[in-house]
Amino acid sequence: MALVSGILRGLGRGLRSPVQRGLWTTTSRQYSEGTVTGNENNGQSVKVPSSARVVICGGGVLGTSIAYHLAERGWTDVVLLEQGRLTCGTTWHSAGLVGQAKDEVEGSQLVAYSRQLYKQLDKSHGVGWKECGSVIVAQTKDRLTFLQRKHAIALATGIESHLISPEEAGKLCPWIRTDDLKGALWVPGDGALTPPDLVSAYTSIAREKGVKILEGVKIDQIHTKNGRVSHVTTSHGDINCEYFVNCAGLWAREVGAKSEPNVKIPLHPNEHFYLVTTPIQGLDPLMPVVRDFDGRIYAREWSGGLLAGGFEPRGKPVFHNGVPDKFEFQLLPEDWDHFQVLLDPILHRFPCMETAEVRHLVNGPESFTPDGHWNLGESPEVKNYFVAAGMNSMGVVGSGGIGKHLTEWIIDGEPSINLAEHDILRYVPHHSNKKFLKERVKETIALYALRFPYEYWETGRKLRTSPLHTRLEVDGAYFGETNAYERPIYFARPDDELGDQYHPVKGSYGKPPWFDNVKEEYWACKERVCLIDMSSFSKFEVKSNGSEALNFLEYLSSNDIEDNVGEIIHTGMQNNHGGYENDCTIVPLYHNHFFIISPASQQTRSLAWLQRFQPKDGSVQIRDITSAYAGINVIGPHAQQLLADVTDISTTLKDFKPMTCKVINVGFASNIRAMRLTHGGEDGFVLYVPSEYALHVYDTLMAEGKDYGIRHAGYYALKLLRIEKFYAYWGVDLTTHTTPLECGRDFRVKFDAGDFIGKEALLKQKEEGISQRFVQFLLEDFNVDTDVWPWGGEPIYRNGKFSGTTTSSGYGFKLDKMVCLGFIRDYDEQGKSVLYKNMNQFVLDRNAKYEIAIGGQMFEAKVRLYTPKAAYSTSEPVFIPVPSMNK
């Protein structure tokens, strides 16, 4: 091994780029020489147009895909600007892999579209498409469970896949070692292509339809007017435009800083490595792409040899102070010592590598994001400024689908599938901190690492903490991170040996190690009284001198917002399609002063939605006060008496009704906003305490609560309570693609209360019917101790037909059942959703048999519907029987 490593290290010296050494095809070599077919420049002086509807920055595989898809939709007044030459950033050195088996249905749908598009473009323009299939191998039982989930999602999406034995994997790919494998996943429709040829196809078609593609044009500034894009200044003149799309890849952060206000785009480059060998005797050109996630490596056939690389456990950030403008068709120096952690498993999986000759070690930078997901969508800072960047080395596989759905976002206002996990609105400002990014992307580059449910990132922790954090840490809290906010997820028991409180014990796909801890907290919430630190919830104030604030919120909210001081109003804020842009709690503190609570994960989205419609005359003030107030959830049957002991008002149900808010004193602290609700279905109060008083209020409650058996509880207990009670959470169960009518919340839509955003879409849906219904499932014959647990995203089957996915799940201790929430749909023979005016009847048909695919098994499930009664009730959701539709 040492000898082989030394030989390879020696061969790596004097490395030149694949363009210089002829690694890519003639087409891509033409790119480096600036003679690509379809160049507007064509060696002549560049002249930019004075105006365009859309300006795209970046001539890689994303920018050209968006140009192509805009043209396909009839938007041809488009200019694509590339500061260097097309593909010169990262596209030209991409490995070109296309794998469809993703971890969620939407991701698989997106990539499946990409694959179909590439096959189509290969026939018309030639993109080097090679449908060789892919084999993903598993070395461990946990990895096999992971592949079983991918397999289930692939089947539900219509992607052909097969779980196969190690022996079958060896027959499909006889060049790999299989004696250490537990199994594999075979996806015959996967393949690979030549990325520069794909760009050539995109640009050729876009240009034919009228799109202008200009090279050697640098963007100097993106100008705004009234909060939206107005024009761009380039090295060759100004262009007036309505939309701007940042597809600048490595340079996307720098381009984001060229607008006022700046658009924050969290990404940072890492060095990324793969090697290429000379031809290997007997290697089939149609050798399947091999992914060994446990070895962190991938490999494909290339020109008779192997192209093999991977994603190391700790990355090597580069260009921390900015990417040079002229870093075009360039690579970074080889680093065989850093590559060793990938070289070893490559040699292990491919015995033929022991005698292979290495032609290159390619070190090309790639951009990675703080969570390993893409950065897509409209920026919160500037309207009509869209982003498609931070591809985490998955730009080629995603480019087709991303181009399609970002085009929908621009033209239609939203993509046709839920891309919330990639939406750039998921971030808060610290995610763009360069020092934070440099540390985080060292971790997120490990794309193939086995991540279990309820695992959290290791870097960038203890960044946002509540005033109670240190106290809870001393009391044995284990913390998880949401939007960089440390939240207690569960607590150690008195006899537990306290471990790492930020990186708890190794995860599991089965019964989690914290099960018994959370069980005790759950029952304490139901039988005694608990405190849960909920300071991370997003909090906003909306104020005006007159009635402007009320009118503003009434227009944004689908529920009736009245100025009844002290009433808690739970409302959605819908988009033009009726989907949720926010699901929040609004409390009128005065007739012109409103307090708004949203989930912690939706802080930026919630604020951006409010600010988007904020009157330009300054009549309405909006303030993010998340850090100004701590949140303490006092939950359980003794919460009422405990609060009575520490305050000077009556807390009886008669005097302090559910869904009302009072400003109270607790101990010596004043101006505490106390709400009678708990977000978990139990009686109690959430106290929003000015941060400077938080420790005093906490200590007062803990001291007075001893006689009531008070204890701590974490978010996991609250999650299980709300899932059992059938409570939907925005950002988890509710998205921009779900409406109140689909999740049983139409009773919260006041159609007769005046105009509001989304009203027309909801009235149309009310008239024509809905295509999905939010439901609760209780799993039958589920063994909590031995079976693989669901955690959201599992396919749901109705009478053997794929009918939706779960959104969240947890064990219901009172029901003594595994509980899943999710949406049920019905599809026609063409795969289109069927509309139902009475979808309850379809869901609850007595002849309907429901099953959920979990860990390679199908579990029969009993279905329940969400009803208005369940919205405020402390009892369990009800099963509503409906006669068979066949009778």
Side-chain angles (χ1 to χ4, degrees):
M1 177 62 234
L3 176 61
V4 172
S5 177
I7 293 172
L8 293 174
R9 190 173 292 111
L11 288 170
R13 297 192 183 101
L15 177 69
R16 290 181 289 157
S17 78
V19 165
Q20 294 171 309
R21 296 293 301 274
L23 177 60
W24 298 117
T25 63
T26 301
T27 303
S28 60
R29 199 174 297 122
Q30 289 174 343
Y31 275 93
S32 69
E33 297 163 2
T35 59
V36 180
T37 302
N39 276 359
E40 295 290 337
N41 308 35
N42 200 25
Q44 304 299 316
S45 176
V46 180
K47 183 177 180 181
V48 301
S50 60
S51 66
R53 193 172 194 180
V54 183
V55 171
I56 301 170
C57 174
V61 74
L62 287 181
T64 54
S65 174
I66 293 167
Y68 162 84
H69 282 90
L70 285 169
E72 288 290 294
R73 288 286 301 270
W75 281 36
T76 56
D77 187 13
V78 176
V79 176
L80 185 150
L81 304 177
E82 166 56 55
Q83 68 176 356
R85 295 292 179 262
L86 296 177
T87 80
C88 70
T90 62
T91 298
W92 72 275
H93 61 67
S94 169
L97 307 183
V98 180
Q100 302 172 87
K102 300 302 177 184
D103 299 337
E104 71 290 326
V105 166
E106 292 82 4
S108 291
Q109 289 172 334
L110 185 150
V111 176
Y113 168 81
S114 290
R115 176 220 178 226
Q116 282 300 118
L117 176 63
Y118 302 158
K119 292 183 67 175
Q120 171 189 323
L121 293 177
D122 192 53
K123 291 179 181 178
S124 61
H125 289 74
V127 299
W129 173 252
K130 180 168 63 173
E131 194 161 306
C132 53
S134 71
V135 174
I136 310 173
V137 301
Q139 296 184 34
T140 67
K141 182 180 177 181
D142 281 335
R143 182 67 71 179
L144 191 58
T145 298
F146 173 77
L147 294 187
Q148 288 168 338
R149 177 182 172 91
K150 280 184 174 289
H151 174 60
I153 290 171
L155 293 180
T157 315
I159 297 168
E160 183 183 357
S161 72
H162 306 273
L163 287 167
I164 60 177
S165 68
E167 293 74 23
E168 291 172 310
K171 290 178 181 178
L172 286 167
C173 188
W175 301 275
I176 63 171
R177 177 179 174 179
T178 61
D179 61 332
D180 61 340
L181 300 181
K182 301 294 184 184
L185 183 66
W186 163 238
V187 187
D190 284 355
L193 52 70
T194 308
D197 292 347
L198 177 60
V199 169
S200 182
Y202 283 147
T203 55
S204 177
I205 296 171
R207 179 177 179 270
E208 288 172 1
K209 292 179 178 292
V211 173
K212 292 181 173 61
I213 298 174
L214 305 177
E215 297 178 292
V217 180
K218 181 181 179 183
I219 289 182
D220 295 323
Q221 191 171 358
I222 300 95
H223 300 271
T224 63
K225 184 177 181 181
N226 296 325
R228 66 177 60 218
V229 171
S230 62
H231 65 286
V232 299
T233 296
T234 78
S235 56
H236 289 65
D238 286 1
I239 306 175
N240 294 320
C241 59
E242 296 177 41
Y243 298 88
F244 179 77
V245 189
N246 185 340
C247 302
L250 295 172
W251 294 269
R253 288 186 74 249
E254 284 83 353
V255 172
K258 292 182 178 182
S259 64
E260 183 57 45
N262 291 351
V263 171
K264 298 180 177 63
I265 303 175
L267 56 80
H268 195 293
N270 272 320
E271 299 184 19
H272 179 54
F273 302 85
Y274 61 77
L275 59 78
V276 181
T277 75
T278 58
I280 297 173
Q281 186 175 4
L283 195 67
D284 190 338
L286 288 177
M287 182 196 89
V289 172
V290 175
R291 294 179 178 86
D292 181 351
F293 289 162
D294 296 303
R296 299 186 172 92
I297 62 168
Y298 60 79
R300 62 167 290 193
E301 185 275 340
W302 182 267
S303 297
L306 275 181
L307 183 157
F311 300 95
E312 61 271 38
R314 297 291 291 180
K316 188 179 179 185
V318 66
F319 297 140
H320 182 61
N321 295 318
V323 185
D325 288 344
K326 293 300 182 180
F327 191 81
E328 303 170 13
F329 295 110
Q330 294 186 49
L331 296 172
L332 299 168
E334 71 272 19
D335 186 343
W336 286 98
D337 289 332
H338 188 80
F339 188 67
Q340 190 76 44
V341 70
L342 300 177
L343 179 60
D344 290 342
I346 290 171
L347 293 169
H348 172 81
R349 189 59 54 206
F350 289 89
C352 61
M353 280 294 298
E354 289 288 346
T355 56
E357 180 183 349
V358 174
R359 193 197 313 183
H360 311 288
L361 176 65
V362 175
N363 180 2
E366 294 276 2
S367 296
F368 291 82
T369 63
D371 59 3
H373 296 302
W374 298 322
N375 289 339
L376 304 176
E378 188 174 13
S379 77
E381 297 91 354
V382 179
K383 187 171 176 56
N384 289 356
Y385 187 126
F386 285 82
V387 176
M391 292 295 105
N392 304 287
S393 197
M394 294 182 288
V396 169
V397 67
S399 79
I402 291 172
K404 173 188 176 182
H405 295 303
L406 202 78
T407 293
E408 294 170 342
W409 225 323
I410 294 169
I411 296 176
D412 305 326
E414 68 173 10
S416 57
I417 64 173
N418 176 27
L419 294 175
E421 70 176 5
H422 303 290
D423 196 326
I424 198 164
L425 295 177
R426 70 189 184 273
Y427 296 117
V428 289
H430 91 275
H431 285 118
S432 294
N433 180 293
K434 283 172 60 176
K435 290 185 177 180
F436 165 82
L437 284 168
K438 183 179 180 181
E439 290 303 309
R440 176 56 68 82
V441 299
K442 292 179 184 178
E443 185 179 5
T444 60
I445 193 176
L447 300 180
Y448 292 170
L450 189 62
R451 300 195 184 280
F452 294 100
Y454 310 106
E455 280 195 347
Y456 300 89
W457 299 109
E458 295 181 2
T459 52
R461 297 295 299 273
K462 299 182 73 171
L463 184 57
R464 301 176 72 194
T465 60
S466 87
L468 307 178
H469 180 83
T470 302
R471 190 78 93 243
L472 299 177
E473 186 179 44
V474 171
D475 288 342
Y478 284 90
F479 293 95
E481 173 227 343
T482 296
N483 246 347
Y485 211 116
E486 298 291 345
R487 313 200 300 181
I489 50 179
Y490 67 93
F491 285 79
R493 293 171 295 177
D495 296 333
D496 289 347
E497 181 178 346
L498 197 60
D500 187 337
Q501 292 171 256
Y502 297 89
H503 310 109
V505 293
K506 186 178 184 295
S508 168
Y509 287 126
K511 182 179 178 181
W514 41 258
F515 181 85
D516 292 329
N517 302 61
V518 174
K519 180 178 181 180
E520 291 184 8
E521 295 172 20
Y522 168 96
W523 284 114
C525 289
K526 279 191 164 293
E527 297 173 347
R528 303 197 302 276
V529 61
C530 289
L531 298 188
I532 304 176
D533 180 9
M534 299 183 67
S535 304
S536 62
F537 269 40
S538 305
K539 313 170 196 75
F540 309 97
E541 279 189 342
V542 176
K543 302 172 69 174
S544 63
N545 290 327
S547 61
E548 296 89 350
L550 174 61
N551 297 335
F552 168 71
L553 290 176
E554 284 183 332
Y555 177 64
L556 263 62
S557 304
S558 51
N559 205 344
D560 192 11
I561 307 299
E562 300 176 332
D563 60 353
N564 294 335
V565 174
E567 180 182 341
I568 296 174
I569 303 157
H570 195 168
T571 183
M573 293 185 179
Q574 321 307 137
N575 55 37
N576 287 326
H577 302 276
Y580 281 93
E581 290 292 339
N582 197 353
D583 182 54
C584 58
T585 298
I586 299 179
V587 180
L589 299 175
Y590 303 101
H591 72 280
N592 60 351
H593 182 185
F594 298 84
F595 185 42
I596 302 177
I597 308 296
S598 295
S601 61
Q602 305 299 315
Q603 184 174 353
T604 296
R605 174 182 287 279
S606 299
L607 182 60
W609 191 252
L610 292 170
Q611 291 176 333
R612 170 168 295 192
F613 299 97
Q614 186 176 10
K616 303 301 181 185
D617 60 7
S619 60
V620 175
Q621 295 84 50
I622 301 169
R623 195 160 64 102
D624 186 336
I625 57 170
T626 299
S627 299
Y629 287 84
I632 303 176
N633 193 342
V634 188
I635 180 172
H638 297 319
Q640 174 178 305
Q641 189 55 50
L642 172 58
L643 188 61
D645 291 347
V646 297
T647 190
D648 48 12
I649 66 165
S650 171
T651 61
T652 65
L653 282 169
K654 177 183 177 182
D655 296 325
F656 200 152
K657 295 180 175 61
M659 299 299 290
T660 62
C661 175
K662 296 180 182 291
V663 178
I664 66 172
N665 301 326
V666 173
F668 301 151
S670 302
N671 295 321
I672 295 161
R673 299 171 182 179
M675 300 186 186
R676 190 151 200 165
L677 81 171
T678 62
H679 304 284
E682 306 302 317
D683 190 25
F685 308 84
V686 178
L687 308 180
Y688 289 102
V689 185
S691 292
E692 62 270 28
Y693 295 143
L695 280 175
H696 171 76
V697 171
Y698 166 84
D699 289 340
T700 300
L701 290 167
M702 289 299 292
E704 293 293 330
K706 288 180 180 178
D707 292 340
Y708 303 105
I710 195 169
R711 63 158 296 160
H712 299 292
Y715 272 84
Y716 287 172
L718 185 65
K719 175 186 176 181
L720 298 188
L721 286 166
R722 72 96 179 168
I723 289 174
E724 195 172 49
K725 291 289 187 176
F726 207 166
Y727 285 10
Y729 269 21
W730 161 233
V732 179
D733 307 296
L734 308 180
T735 71
T736 56
H737 285 68
T738 55
T739 73
L741 277 67
E742 294 166 345
C743 60
R745 294 185 173 198
D746 44 321
F747 68 96
R748 287 182 180 156
V749 179
K750 304 304 180 185
F751 289 106
D752 57 352
D755 194 23
F756 60 85
I757 299 172
K759 181 177 181 178
E760 183 177 340
L762 294 179
L763 284 171
K764 182 180 179 182
Q765 193 176 59
K766 187 176 181 181
E767 175 66 24
E768 296 180 356
I770 60 176
S771 62
Q772 58 181 351
R773 190 67 163 87
F774 188 55
V775 298
Q776 182 190 66
F777 290 105
L778 305 184
L779 300 189
E780 304 293 334
D781 300 322
F782 183 89
N783 189 315
V784 67
D785 295 309
T786 60
D787 287 325
V788 173
W789 279 38
W791 69 85
E794 289 80 17
I796 302 167
Y797 288 83
R798 183 183 185 273
N799 293 338
K801 178 181 175 183
F802 172 67
S803 299
T805 56
T806 64
T807 53
S808 54
S809 61
Y811 194 74
F813 290 106
K814 184 174 181 180
L815 297 173
D816 197 24
K817 295 280 187 181
M818 180 61 72
V819 184
C820 297
L821 306 183
F823 282 88
I824 288 294
R825 303 174 184 87
D826 188 21
Y827 298 100
D828 62 19
E829 293 181 356
Q830 286 73 42
K832 295 183 179 180
S833 297
V834 179
L835 298 180
Y836 285 89
K837 284 193 173 183
N838 182 7
M839 199 165 189
N840 290 3
Q841 189 175 26
F842 169 79
V843 171
L844 297 173
D845 179 7
R846 286 175 178 166
N847 288 335
K849 177 185 177 182
Y850 290 99
E851 295 173 296
I852 301 178
I854 307 168
Q857 297 186 65
M858 299 293 285
F859 290 91
E860 191 169 342
K862 180 180 178 181
V863 69
R864 294 177 165 191
L865 281 177
Y866 186 88
T867 66
K869 177 183 177 182
Y872 302 108
S873 173
T874 57
S875 63
E876 309 308 328
V878 293
F879 177 81
I880 309 172
V882 173
S884 170
M885 296 174 68
N886 297 328
K887 294 182 180 179

